[in-house]
Amino acid sequence: MEKLELRTATIAFTARRDAAGVPHAECGSWLEAVYALGYLHALDRPTQMHFARTVALGRAAERIANRPEMLEMDQFLRRSGVHRRLGEEVGMLPPRVLLQLEWYCRGVNDGLREVGRTLPMWAVGFQPEAWNPEAVLAIGNLLSFAGLAVGEQEAKRVILELIQLGTSDERLRELFRPYLDGVDFGPLRELNFAKQLSDDALELLADLPRLAGSNAWAVAPSRSATGGALLASDPHLEVNRLPAIWYEAVLRWRSDDGRHEYAMGATLPGCPLMAVGRTSRLAWGVTYMHANTSDYFIEDIRTKPDADDAWQYRRGEEWIDYRPRLERIGRRGAKPVDQLVYENEVGVLTEPPTEPGKHLSVAWIGGRPGGGKAIATWLDVIAAPTTSDAMDIVRQSPHPSLVWVFADSAGHIGKQASGWLPVRSRASGLVPVPAWDAANHWLGAVPPEKLPREYDPARGFVASANEELYLADGTPLHSHGLHDYRRRRVDERLTELPRATITDMQALQYDVLSLHARDMLPVLLTHIDDEHALKQRLLEWDCRFDAESRGAALFMAFYRHVLLEVFGHNTGIGLRRMIYLATRIGYSAMVLTACDRTLPKVTSSWWSQRDKRTMIRRAADRALAEPQQRWRDVNAFHFTDRFFGGSRGLTTTGRLLGFESPVTPMPGCHATPFQGHLKVTATRESTFAPSYHFVTDLTSDEAWTNLPGGPSENRFSRWYKTDVPRWTTGEYKRLVGMPQAGPDGA
């Protein structure tokens, strides 16, 4: 191993890099290990940390680059208020948690003294500031809100836009049943609301850790080849921009009684958290719960009598003054932009009002006081001795809304949902409800003990893959339908493995068999003549999205044309919008899940006036007329630099010193355990795929991992993309938790 010098460390520890560049820190205590993690984050990912904090505080246009999309993002985040009350939240932390944050921040600041200003910082004139506990909480808020809640809000806006565009009421209700049952569309069509974020601003948010699609499962000793519990976890997010979001580390320390302890896995630079990892006693992974944590409301607004520049909102028959707050948003080299934010006890208006009437406001439950305590959850999990203890810890976490999967060295496995969820007296949360009616206001949060929980099930495994979840009384935790293709495939394979091995777990993480294709082919092909070439070719296909598969490319072309034919007509979703959704299949899950659930029906309002068979035949002809391609020709991308970009366009600092890899085929699709989404615009490729693979057997102190990147953010470092070959070929490297024999610990 290569020893690091640690020239500016003020707390003694040693660190060495293994052959993949992963740092292994040897420390005297847990607090020293937290310090070491902060130092290593600063050593390898200083730009990532500082730019992320700047974004979280809504200061990107001021401190990074004055570009329209950055100003738009600043305005959006400042309006949301995720940057506010950070000091108060730090003051609410338990002393033991605050102490750990202080040691972490000390490590970060000492490490930054060694690194100084990085090349991307120099390129934009960025001056780093000292790291503090408020910065840690800001990164946490960014993860929970911008990385997760924003996606939920954007999905709900799609429904509202479909209603306002005049899509048939009958067809909309059928498509999204039961979530629109009883909803009066009339008031929704009168709403004034801001346009959604631009694609450029949304792309900037895509840089953030978004656990919007992930897999995690644990296998009990009764189904394991070694007789110990197994755990596998792979969070999914954008993978083509280097450095990788996650930072792998192995931390070792001595407990108070002198025992060797360790924690290893994927950490998030800027925070002392390990999103996926293990200790000697416990392993864990997470998936996003897709819980209904954010709602839109309708506010009835008027100008205040005798005060044309003031606004009021209605509660019952009473009118109440808005007291807007001023957000002054700086811009590098230009005058600041002043933004008035109109907020009340229900939510914040999506834009300042310009005329009386019905306006849209939005609320996120994670913004309530006490949300900063979420960082304690991640720290306490590392100290948890058992699966049961860890489950009790995480179900108290405020945000983000996650499903945790655990396995421990005693052989226990479990799954626990976490996160604040609003209690609603009525409505599903999918569409806005009148805020002037107090009966529509949130009634607090769902008690943690009611959140879904599963411990040592008889079937011998637990799994999570962003499927629908329900409270014990049947109340859904989501506001719209979610597909379960990946979860069913994981269950299917685990059921087929009576004595699962590490190799089996790795193969399942790279599995590309699509249950979506397997489900849809009988539904669609029954309408096509047996002699049709498309039917013959798809019947011979194995439903696998391998890079070389021609059947995969043909099926997706066929499916896309079916969506356009059936749902894209003028009295439906509309051709232009349906083209947008159908070419972003992995990014339009809400609408496309609803379409998938409609297509198998015999009768439907979507084809009551048109012949379903004719539409599907026409889709088949159009798919067959397209050039024959392999899946790799359709679904491929380039790795590029997060800060300098590549040949397709600009990111944070411009093309100078940019990086772009040769084309990389992406296996899988939205419905396979190895998700492989791709969205291409004129200036950027966006991906959504496994961002970290982690597999471990609790009978050993080992973990097997890979990720699309390397430890360093420095584009010229040999540790910049060390794991990319492993990630692309499905190979795993071995991490070892306990100290290794040898005179130098190597």
Side-chain angles (χ1 to χ4, degrees):
M1 287 192 177
E2 177 183 308
K3 188 174 181 179
L4 300 179
E5 292 187 21
L6 312 175
R7 292 190 295 269
T8 56
T10 58
I11 299 294
F13 74 97
T14 61
R16 294 175 172 84
R17 293 193 193 274
D18 62 21
V22 176
H24 297 238
E26 305 284 347
C27 311
S29 68
W30 166 243
L31 286 177
E32 292 175 11
V34 174
Y35 170 91
L37 181 62
Y39 194 101
L40 294 168
H41 280 170
L43 200 64
D44 284 334
R45 302 291 185 88
T47 313
Q48 179 184 355
M49 293 170 56
H50 279 282
F51 281 14
R53 175 172 66 170
T54 301
V55 169
L57 298 179
R59 301 179 64 191
E62 172 191 355
R63 304 197 62 219
I64 299 176
N66 182 15
R67 300 211 308 266
E69 66 272 20
M70 289 210 174
L71 176 61
E72 182 184 3
M73 183 174 60
D74 286 347
Q75 291 173 314
F76 174 75
L77 291 174
R78 294 277 279 274
R79 187 166 57 244
S80 74
V82 295
H83 65 297
R84 303 178 68 209
R85 299 189 300 273
L86 294 174
E88 295 175 23
E89 290 293 335
V90 169
M92 296 170 65
L93 294 174
R96 60 178 178 78
V97 175
L98 182 57
L99 180 63
Q100 293 174 79
L101 296 192
E102 289 170 342
W103 276 72
Y104 173 80
C105 293
R106 180 178 176 182
V108 170
N109 291 323
D110 284 352
L112 288 173
R113 286 194 295 115
E114 176 174 340
V115 173
R117 289 175 70 198
T118 64
L119 192 57
M121 293 180 191
W122 173 85
V124 298
F126 184 91
Q127 296 291 338
E129 298 174 345
W131 209 255
N132 53 33
E134 287 83 356
V136 173
L137 298 193
I139 297 292
N141 282 348
L142 197 64
L143 166 68
S144 297
F145 178 74
L148 297 174
V150 169
E152 179 190 350
Q153 293 176 8
E154 291 299 309
K156 292 180 177 182
R157 288 179 65 99
V158 170
I159 298 292
L160 192 54
E161 290 168 358
L162 291 176
I163 292 172
Q164 290 207 341
L165 287 171
T167 305
S168 160
D169 289 10
E170 180 186 10
R171 288 173 175 162
L172 271 184
R173 293 186 194 281
E174 180 189 351
L175 193 62
F176 295 104
R177 186 163 292 136
Y179 304 100
L180 294 179
D181 290 356
V183 173
D184 182 2
F185 289 176
L188 302 178
R189 293 195 168 109
E190 300 174 5
L191 265 175
N192 297 297
F193 63 96
K195 65 179 180 67
Q196 69 175 23
L197 288 169
S198 68
D199 281 347
D200 288 339
L202 287 171
E203 295 294 354
L204 288 175
L205 293 177
D207 286 346
L208 309 174
R210 299 174 63 250
L211 304 176
S214 305
N215 306 316
W217 62 85
V219 177
S222 61
R223 301 186 68 92
S224 163
T226 64
L230 308 177
L231 182 135
S233 182
D234 48 299
H236 300 174
L237 43 83
E238 188 175 53
V239 299
N240 60 304
R241 306 229 299 151
L242 301 175
I245 289 291
W246 306 115
Y247 180 82
E248 269 193 303
V250 180
L251 306 175
R252 303 187 184 101
W253 67 95
R254 291 292 186 105
S255 65
D256 292 340
D257 59 5
R259 288 182 295 107
H260 286 287
E261 299 286 358
Y262 69 85
M264 59 183 178
T267 69
L268 179 65
C271 292
L273 67 82
M274 192 168 280
V276 178
R278 67 161 295 177
T279 64
S280 62
R281 296 173 291 182
L282 183 74
W284 62 93
V286 295
T287 68
Y288 180 41
M289 189 165 52
H290 279 284
N292 196 2
T293 63
S294 187
D295 280 357
Y296 285 111
F297 292 87
I298 307 171
E299 291 284 4
D300 191 9
I301 295 174
R302 73 176 188 183
T303 54
K304 184 177 181 179
D306 303 321
D308 291 341
D309 59 346
W311 296 89
Q312 296 180 316
Y313 60 93
R314 181 161 67 90
R315 291 294 179 265
E317 299 303 320
E318 180 184 4
W319 290 91
I320 303 171
D321 291 348
Y322 267 114
R323 291 180 172 81
R325 73 173 190 268
L326 175 65
E327 293 286 350
R328 177 156 290 171
I329 302 170
R331 293 185 296 165
R332 179 180 290 274
K335 292 182 179 179
V337 172
D338 287 344
Q339 174 177 252
L340 288 177
V341 179
Y342 291 81
E343 189 172 15
N344 56 32
E345 82 286 6
V346 169
V348 58
L349 293 185
T350 58
E351 63 177 348
T354 56
E355 60 183 20
K358 306 299 192 299
H359 292 257
L360 197 66
S361 74
V362 64
W364 174 56
I365 195 170
R368 300 192 326 170
K373 294 180 181 178
I375 187 62
T377 302
W378 300 96
L379 293 168
D380 290 347
V381 162
I382 294 176
T386 69
T387 289
S388 178
D389 292 324
M391 292 170 70
D392 289 342
I393 289 168
V394 303
R395 73 177 181 177
Q396 303 293 332
S397 180
H399 63 82
S401 58
L402 300 172
V403 177
W404 299 70
V405 173
F406 296 103
D408 65 29
S409 57
H412 299 292
I413 61 174
K415 182 172 75 171
Q416 175 69 58
S418 73
W420 285 340
L421 304 174
V423 175
R424 302 170 179 85
S425 61
R426 58 195 189 197
S428 70
L430 180 57
V431 296
V433 291
W436 56 86
D437 184 348
N440 290 324
H441 295 185
W442 289 346
L443 305 175
V446 172
E449 59 271 15
K450 291 189 176 182
L451 295 175
R453 179 184 181 99
E454 194 173 4
Y455 183 73
D456 281 346
R459 70 177 179 275
F461 63 84
V462 294
S464 176
N466 317 113
E467 71 279 5
E468 296 177 0
L469 289 177
Y470 298 82
L471 298 177
D473 63 3
T475 302
L477 299 182
H478 49 278
S479 63
H480 55 81
L482 303 171
H483 70 71
D484 63 354
Y485 304 122
R486 286 183 291 109
R487 168 59 194 274
R488 284 196 286 129
R489 177 57 179 163
V490 170
D491 285 358
E492 181 178 88
R493 284 298 295 136
L494 293 179
T495 301
E496 295 169 350
L497 296 170
R499 292 291 181 266
T501 66
I502 287 289
T503 302
D504 292 329
M505 301 297 94
Q506 294 170 350
L508 182 49
Q509 287 187 328
Y510 276 83
D511 189 283
V512 292
L513 190 145
S514 169
L515 295 197
H516 171 246
R518 199 168 73 184
D519 289 351
M520 295 305 300
L521 282 175
V523 171
L524 302 178
L525 294 184
T526 190
H527 298 283
I528 300 176
D529 295 335
D530 291 342
E531 297 78 18
H532 199 290
L534 178 137
K535 184 171 185 176
Q536 294 175 0
R537 287 170 56 187
L538 289 181
L539 285 175
E540 296 172 355
W541 177 48
D542 60 4
C543 296
R544 294 183 184 276
F545 278 75
D546 298 301
E548 302 301 325
S549 173
R550 295 185 181 275
L554 179 60
F555 169 77
M556 289 305 285
F558 178 38
Y559 176 64
R560 182 179 71 249
H561 283 293
V562 168
L563 294 175
L564 297 177
E565 288 286 342
V566 176
F567 302 101
H569 52 88
N570 292 336
T571 57
I573 292 175
L575 183 60
R576 186 173 180 179
R577 178 169 291 277
M578 203 63 224
I579 289 174
Y580 180 87
L581 295 172
T583 54
R584 291 160 171 80
I585 284 174
Y587 299 84
S588 310
M590 178 188 66
V591 174
L592 300 187
T593 296
C595 293
D596 288 349
R597 294 180 179 181
T598 302
L599 285 170
K601 295 180 180 179
V602 176
T603 60
S604 168
S605 61
W606 288 90
W607 48 82
S608 60
Q609 298 175 352
R610 300 177 305 148
D611 182 60
K612 181 181 181 182
R613 180 180 178 87
T614 300
M615 289 188 288
I616 292 176
R617 281 179 166 180
R618 189 158 52 236
D621 291 340
R622 289 177 174 171
L624 199 60
E626 293 185 0
Q628 294 189 25
Q629 294 177 299
R630 299 165 299 175
W631 187 236
R632 68 180 300 146
D633 301 321
V634 176
N635 215 47
F637 67 95
H638 302 80
F639 285 101
T640 188
D641 187 80
R642 187 174 302 278
F643 310 119
F644 290 114
S647 64
R648 281 188 171 267
L650 306 179
T651 55
T652 302
T653 54
R655 292 183 181 178
L656 180 67
L657 304 176
F659 163 78
E660 185 169 284
S661 74
V663 65
T664 302
M666 176 84 84
C669 68
H670 72 290
T672 58
F674 188 101
Q675 287 198 83
H677 304 176
L678 179 67
K679 180 177 71 174
V680 179
T681 66
T683 59
R684 177 165 171 159
E685 293 172 340
S686 295
T687 55
F688 194 70
S691 63
Y692 186 58
H693 286 118
F694 181 93
V695 177
T696 192
D697 184 331
L698 273 295
T699 63
S700 73
D701 290 298
E702 301 172 344
W704 299 87
T705 74
N706 66 44
L707 77 166
S712 177
E713 71 177 23
N714 182 351
R715 128 123 177 81
F716 301 102
S717 168
R718 62 184 168 125
W719 310 121
Y720 180 61
K721 49 186 175 67
T722 47
D723 247 23
V724 168
R726 273 183 282 268
W727 184 85
T728 55
T729 59
E731 298 179 9
Y732 288 70
K733 65 183 181 295
R734 175 174 171 259
L735 297 181
V736 179
M738 284 300 182
Q740 297 298 288
D744 64 353

